[in-house]
C-alpha cells in the first residue's frame, strides 16, 4: 500500500479529500495532512510519503515552492498539483518540477481516481527499477505491515526475504515496536530544539553497532518497527535484556520522549514476521496502563476487563470541587479514576467511553460557562482527542486541563441580572429542548418580551437563542445516534423535530454529514 500526504490551506477541502476519497479501495493510505507548504515540508522527513497531493496557491509557502523543496529531499516522491487556475504559467511551473499530474478545482472524483491509478503504477515501476539496498527492503516491510489481506501480505514477506540476504534463515530474530510519546501533560510540552529531527537515523546509528542484520521502518507517526537478528556472541537472554534496558534509557534521554519498546518472542521462521510484528505492537499497547515508558515483553501482557465504569459520583465530586476552586481535590479525584483504570485493567475502549461520559456530565453541569466564555471547550471533539492519546495518564491530563479551565472561568465569572436571565433560558432549553420550544414560550417563562430576551441572550452568550437551541438538539441527537437500536425518525422526535427531513438537513449543516453517515463514521 502506498502513502500520500495531502496539502491544502482550505480546511473544508482538505477534510473532504481526506475522508471522502476511497483511499483503502485504491490501495493508498493517508500518511498525514498539512495546511501550507512549510508545514508539509516539516512533516515530509517523518512521514516519507510516496505521493503528495498539494494545492498550488497557499499562504506562507505555496505549492510550487514546496514541490521544489520536496523533490530536493526525495527525488522519487510523486507530486500532483491542484489549482483553481487553468493558467499556462502554473501548469508550466508544475511541469518544470516534474509534476506527475495537475488537476483543476473543483475536483472531479473519477478524474482524481484515474490519475491516482497512473501514479501508483509509476511508483511500482520506480520500485522495480531499484531492487537493491535498504530502501527497497524498508519499502517492502512497510507494504507488509500495512497490508490487510493475508494472501497479499504473504507475498510481500516473500519479496522481503529475497531482498534481505543478510538475514540468516533458521537464526532467531526479534521484532520491536518502539513509540515516542510526549510526557503525560496537556497541552503537550514543546519538544526541545536539541532533539534529533530524524529518529529513524538516530536509532539506525545504534543498530549498526549492535545487530548482525536489521530493518527499521516508520510504522506510524512517532512509531518505529524494528526487525533484527543478534550477532552470534549476543544470543543470550541476559545480554538481550541488558541491551534493551540500555537502549530504551539512551533513547529517552537523547530524544526527550517517553520511549516504550514492545518486544516479540524470538522466532526462527522468517514467514512469521507478521506474527512477530503483531506481538510486538500488542506489547507496546500495554503502555496504556503504565507511565513513563519502558520495556514490555509478551509475559507482561494480561487480560483486560470490558466493563462500563459508573462515573456519576466522580462527575458530581468534580463539579463540586470545580465550583469550590479546589484544584488539589480535583487532582486527587482524577488520580483515583486513573488508579481504577490501571488496577482493574479496564479495556481501552471502555475507559475512553467512561471518560467521555464524565466530560459530557461536566459539560451539562457547566453548560452556561461552556456556552459563554469557554465556548471553545464546548466545540472540542473530546472523542477524537482522547482516542489518539497513548496512555490512560495522558487522558487524565486532558481531563485535568478541562476541569482547570472550567475552575478558572467559574471563579472569574461575573453574575449580573442579565446573566441570570441568560442562565435561566439555558436551563429551560436544557429541560425542554425535546419539545417544540419557541422564543415566545421562553419569554413567557421569564416574564420578558421575546425581543428583549433575544438581545440579552445574544449579548451574554454570543449567539442567538435559536442557534443555541439547535446546537443543543443536534449534540443530543449525536449522542442518541450511538444507540443503533434507535431509528433516525425516533432520534429526530426525541430532540424536538417532527419533520425528519428537516432534522436531517439541520444535522448535516452542523455535523457535516447525515445522521446515518455520522453513525457509520463514529460508531
Amino acid at each position: 500500500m502506498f502513502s500520500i500526504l495531502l496539502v491544502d490551506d482550505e480546511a473544508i477541502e482538505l477534510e473532504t479529500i481526506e475522508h471522502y476519497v476511497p483511499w483503502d479501495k485504491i490501495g493508498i493510505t493517508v500518511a498525514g495532512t498539512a495546511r501550507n507548504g512549510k508545514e508539509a515540508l516539516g512533516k515530509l522527513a517523518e512521514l516519507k510519503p510516496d505521493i503528495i497531493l498539494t494545492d498550488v496557491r497557499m499562504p506562507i509557502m505555496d505549492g510550487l515552492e514546496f514541490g521544489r523543496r520536496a523533490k530536493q529531499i526525495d527525488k522519487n516522491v510523486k507530486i500532483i498539483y491542484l489549482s483553481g487556475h487553468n493558467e499556462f504559467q502554473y501548469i508550466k511551473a508544475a511541469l518544470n518540477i516534474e509534476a506527475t499530474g495537475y488537476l483543476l478545482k473543483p475536483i472531479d472524483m473519477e478524474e482524481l481516481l484515474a490519475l491516482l491509478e497512473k501514479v501508483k503504477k509509476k511508483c511500482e515501476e520506480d520500485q522495480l527499477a531499484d531492487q537493491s539496498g535498504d530502501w527497497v527492503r524498508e519499502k517492502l516491510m512497510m507494504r507488509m505491515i500495512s497490508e490487510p489481506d493475508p494472501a497479499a501480505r504473504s507475498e510481500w514477506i516473500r519479496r522481503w526475504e529475497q531482498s534481505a540476504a543478510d538475514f540468516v534463515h533458521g537464526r532467531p530474530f526479534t521484532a520491536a515496536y518502539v513509540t515516542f510519546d510526549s510526557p503525560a501533560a496537556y497541552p503537550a510540552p514543546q519538544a526541545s530544539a536539541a532533539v534529533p529531527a530524524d529518529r529513524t537515523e538516530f536509532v539506525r546509528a545504534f543498530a549498526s553497532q549492535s545487530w548482525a542484520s536489521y530493518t527499521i521502518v516508520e510504522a506510524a507517526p512517532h512509531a518505529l518497527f524494528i526487525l533484527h537478528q543478534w550477532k552470534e556472541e549476543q544470543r543470550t537472554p541476559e545480554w538481550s535484556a541488558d541491551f534493551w534496558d540500555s537502549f530504551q534509557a539512551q533513547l529517552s534521554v537523547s530524544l526527550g520522549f517517553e520511549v516504550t519498546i514492545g518486544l516479540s518472542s524470538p522466532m526462527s521462521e522468517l514467514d512469521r514476521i507478521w506474527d512477530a510484528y503483531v506481538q510486538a505492537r500488542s506489547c507496546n499497547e500495554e503502555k496504556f496502563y503504565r507511565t513513563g515508558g519502558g520495556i514490555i515483553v509478551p509475559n507482561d501482557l494480561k487480560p483486560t476487563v470490558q466493563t462500563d465504569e459508573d462515573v456519576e459520583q466522580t462527575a458530581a465530586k468534580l463539579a463540586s470541587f470545580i465550583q469550590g476552586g479546589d484544584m488539589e481535590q480535583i487532582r486527587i479525584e482524577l488520580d483515583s479514576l486513573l488508579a481504577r483504570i490501571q488496577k482493574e485493567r479496564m479495556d481501552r475502549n471502555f475507559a475512553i467511553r467512561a471518560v467521555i461520559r464524565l466530560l459530557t456530565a461536566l459539560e451539562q453541569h457547566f453548560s452556561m460557562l461552556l456556552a459563554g466564555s469557554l465556548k471553545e471547550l464546548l466545540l472540542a471533539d473530546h472523542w477524537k482527542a482522547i482516542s489518539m492519546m497513548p496512555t490512560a495518564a495522558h487522558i487524565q491530563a486532558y481531563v485535568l486541563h478541562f476541569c482547570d479551565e472550567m475552575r478558572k472561568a467559574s471563579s472569574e465569572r461575573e453574575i449580573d441580572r442579565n446573566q441570570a436571565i441568560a442562565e435561566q433560558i439555558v436551563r429551560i432549553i436544557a429541560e425542554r429542548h425535546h419539545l417544540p420550544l419557541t422564543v415566545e414560550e421562553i419569554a413567557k417563562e421569564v416574564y420578558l418580551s421575546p425581543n428583549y430576551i433575544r438581545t440579552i441572550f445574544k449579548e451574554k452568550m454570543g449567539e442567538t437563542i435559536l442557534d443555541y437551541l439547535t446546537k443543543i438538539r443536534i449534540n443530543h441527537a449525536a449522542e442518541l445516534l450511538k444507540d443503533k437500536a434507535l431509528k433516525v425518525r425516533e432520534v429526530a422526535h426525541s430532540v424536538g423535530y417532527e419533520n425528519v427531513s428537516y432534522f436531517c438537513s439541520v444535522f448535516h449543516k452542523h455535523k457535516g454529514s447525515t445522521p446515518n453517515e455520522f453513525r457509520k463514521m463514529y460508531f
Side-chain angles (χ1 to χ4, degrees), residues 67-240:
R68 277 189 285 270
R69 297 194 187 188
K71 279 291 186 180
Q72 292 172 358
I73 296 172
D74 183 357
K75 65 179 181 178
N76 294 309
V77 69
K78 306 296 179 287
I79 304 177
I80 301 172
Y81 289 98
L82 302 174
S83 178
H85 304 273
N86 189 12
E87 299 177 12
F88 178 73
Q89 67 183 73
Y90 291 103
I91 300 174
K92 181 180 178 182
L95 293 176
N96 287 338
I97 311 171
E98 301 177 30
T100 311
Y102 190 98
L103 292 174
L104 292 176
K105 294 182 178 181
I107 299 172
D108 180 277
M109 186 64 73
E110 291 186 6
E111 186 179 359
L112 174 61
L113 294 177
L115 179 56
L116 288 170
E117 284 298 329
K118 291 180 181 179
V119 174
K120 278 178 56 184
K121 289 181 180 178
K122 180 63 178 172
C123 289
E124 290 168 354
E125 290 170 2
D126 288 355
Q127 181 178 303
L128 292 173
D130 183 2
Q131 286 295 321
S132 62
D134 291 338
W135 183 85
V136 172
R137 180 191 295 187
E138 290 170 10
K139 286 290 183 180
L140 291 170
M141 183 64 76
M142 282 297 296
R143 300 292 184 268
M144 185 277 292
I145 64 177
S146 60
E147 177 57 62
D149 179 61
R153 189 189 306 130
S154 296
E155 176 60 20
W156 287 121
I157 293 175
R158 185 189 66 78
R159 292 176 62 178
W160 179 86
E161 287 186 57
Q162 292 176 343
S163 71
D166 56 331
F167 271 75
V168 179
H169 285 262
R171 176 184 289 181
F173 64 86
T174 303
Y177 196 92
V178 186
T179 51
F180 306 85
D181 300 309
S182 299
Y186 191 88
Q190 293 292 323
S192 168
V195 172
D198 194 333
R199 287 187 290 260
T200 307
E201 292 305 318
F202 193 77
V203 172
R204 220 175 246 124
F206 285 99
S208 62
Q209 302 171 18
S210 306
W211 298 317
S213 309
Y214 63 87
T215 296
I216 303 172
V217 296
E218 296 186 35
H222 313 297
L224 298 179
F225 173 56
I226 303 171
L227 191 76
H228 76 94
Q229 287 181 328
W230 296 110
K231 295 176 182 178
E232 192 65 35
E233 66 273 14
Q234 300 168 338
R235 292 168 59 186
T236 65
E238 295 79 10
W239 197 96
S240 173

Side-chain angles (χ1 to χ4, degrees), residues 4-8 10-26 28-35 39 43 47 53-54 82 107 109 112-113 116 221 384 388 521-522:
I4 190 168
L5 173 63
L6 307 176
V7 191
D8 199 314
E10 295 290 340
I12 294 177
E13 293 190 14
L14 188 64
E15 185 176 349
T16 299
I17 297 171
E18 181 182 6
H19 294 293
Y20 291 98
V21 175
W23 297 111
D24 290 341
K25 292 183 180 178
I26 60 177
I28 296 176
T29 181
V30 177
T33 62
R35 296 290 296 277
E39 181 185 349
K43 294 183 176 182
L47 300 179
L53 182 66
T54 179
L82 302 174
I107 299 172
M109 186 64 73
L112 174 61
L113 294 177
L116 288 170
K384 182 177 181 181
M388 297 172 65
M521 281 191 292
Y522 295 100

Side-chain angles (χ1 to χ4, degrees), residues 464-483:
T464 67
I465 294 175
L466 181 58
D467 287 343
Y468 180 76
L469 172 61
T470 302
K471 179 175 65 183
I472 294 299
R473 284 173 166 172
I474 295 304
N475 286 343
H476 187 203
E479 288 294 315
L480 292 176
L481 286 169
K482 293 179 181 179
D483 185 356

Side-chain angles (χ1 to χ4, degrees), residues 335-352:
D335 284 343
S336 175
L337 176 61
L338 174 65
R340 292 199 300 275
I341 291 174
Q342 293 175 327
K343 184 177 180 180
E344 297 173 12
R345 295 189 57 79
M346 191 185 303
D347 179 85
R348 177 188 175 91
N349 291 332
F350 280 77
I352 290 173

Side-chain angles (χ1 to χ4, degrees), residues 433-450:
H433 66 268
H434 60 289
L435 301 173
L437 191 62
T438 67
V439 175
E440 287 71 19
E441 290 173 335
I442 295 173
K444 290 179 181 178
E445 290 277 341
V446 297
Y447 304 101
L448 295 169
S449 72

Side-chain angles (χ1 to χ4, degrees), residues 381-503:
D381 189 339
H382 299 309
W383 191 283
K384 182 177 181 181
I386 291 174
S387 296
M388 297 172 65
M389 292 182 175
T391 71
H394 286 81
I395 295 175
Q396 179 199 24
Y398 181 91
V399 179
L400 181 64
H401 171 76
F402 181 86
C403 292
D404 191 32
E405 289 298 304
M406 289 194 294
R407 178 193 62 82
K408 289 185 287 188
S410 180
S411 64
E412 296 170 357
R413 189 178 70 179
E414 293 182 3
I415 303 298
D416 60 22
R417 179 173 178 274
N418 288 349
Q419 186 72 36
I421 293 170
E423 290 180 2
Q424 189 176 356
I425 294 171
V426 166
R427 287 195 294 272
I428 292 170
I429 291 174
E431 294 168 359
R432 296 168 54 188
H433 66 268
H434 60 289
L435 301 173
L437 191 62
T438 67
V439 175
E440 287 71 19
E441 290 173 335
I442 295 173
K444 290 179 181 178
E445 290 277 341
V446 297
Y447 304 101
L448 295 169
S449 72
N451 286 338
Y452 188 61
I453 67 169
R454 286 191 182 100
T455 301
I456 290 174
F457 196 91
K458 183 67 181 294
E459 175 189 334
K460 294 300 177 183
M461 309 301 293
E463 60 187 326
T464 67
I465 294 175
L466 181 58
D467 287 343
Y468 180 76
L469 172 61
T470 302
K471 179 175 65 183
I472 294 299
R473 284 173 166 172
I474 295 304
N475 286 343
H476 187 203
E479 288 294 315
L480 292 176
L481 286 169
K482 293 179 181 179
D483 185 356
K484 295 184 178 180
L486 289 176
K487 296 179 180 178
V488 171
R489 170 175 51 78
E490 295 172 326
V491 172
H493 292 168
S494 296
V495 294
Y497 290 94
E498 294 299 322
N499 187 314
V500 179
S501 296
Y502 179 67
F503 163 73

